[in-house]
Amino acid sequence: MRGLQAKARGAALGAGLLALTGPVAHAAPARAAMPSYYTAAQAERGAAAYQQFCAVCHGADLGGAFDVPPLVGRFAANWAGAPLGELFDYMAKAMPLFAPGTLTPAQNAELLAFVLRENGAQAGSRELPATAVGMKGMFFPKMTSASVK
C-alpha cells in the first residue's frame, strides 16, 4: 500500500512540476482605463480662457503663487476621486477671484477640461458637459506621479 501511495505522490509532484515549467500563457493584468471626459478642442479653448481669466492668480504654468493654490500636482491628489460636478460648481460660484460667477457654464467646462488635461487625464471623443448635473457619475481621475505634468 505504501508503495502505491508513494508512486501516486511522485506522479502528482511530477505533474505539478511539469505544469510549472511547461509553457504557460499568462493573461496580462487588466488595467483600469482612465476615463476620458473632455475633447482636445475643449481643453484648447480652456487653455485660452485660463490665460485670460486664471493665470493672473494661479500662474501661467498652473503652479500657483504666494497664497493661491496650484492647479496641478497636489491639486490632482486632493481632488482624486471627487465628483467633477463639485469642482465645476465651485469654479462657477467662486472663480475668478475678482469677478466670481461671471464665466459662462461653457467657459467653466472648458477650464475644467484644461485642468484635467494639465493633470494628465487623456482627451476623449465627447465634450465635458457644461452643467454639474451633466457630470453626474464623473470623477476626478486618480493620477499617478508619472501622468501629472
Side-chain angles (χ1 to χ4, degrees):
M1 189 71 133
R2 280 189 169 158
L4 190 55
Q5 288 175 341
K7 283 183 182 179
R9 272 190 246 133
L13 179 61
L17 287 174
L18 181 60
L20 290 175
T21 59
V24 178
H26 293 285
R31 260 192 216 176
M34 188 180 295
S36 300
Y37 296 131
Y38 68 93
T39 64
Q42 188 178 32
E44 280 303 311
R45 293 190 306 271
Y50 179 85
Q51 293 305 319
Q52 183 177 357
F53 301 112
C54 313
V56 67
C57 293
H58 290 283
D61 64 353
L62 289 86
F66 304 110
D67 60 346
V68 178
L71 299 178
V72 291
R74 70 175 179 189
F75 176 85
N78 290 341
W79 279 94
L84 282 182
E86 286 181 18
L87 181 53
F88 179 83
D89 274 344
Y90 174 76
M91 291 168 56
K93 293 174 185 167
M95 296 290 136
L97 182 62
F98 300 110
T102 58
L103 300 181
T104 67
Q107 287 172 313
N108 282 310
E110 292 163 355
L111 286 164
L112 183 50
F114 172 66
V115 168
L116 287 167
R117 182 186 79 185
E118 294 304 296
N119 279 285
Q122 297 298 309
S125 58
R126 293 188 335 210
E127 289 206 347
L128 189 63
T131 67
V133 172
M135 294 180 197
K136 184 176 180 164
M138 296 180 181
F139 300 91
F140 201 98
K142 293 180 179 167
M143 306 294 177
T144 64
S145 58
S147 67
V148 178
K149 292 184 179 182

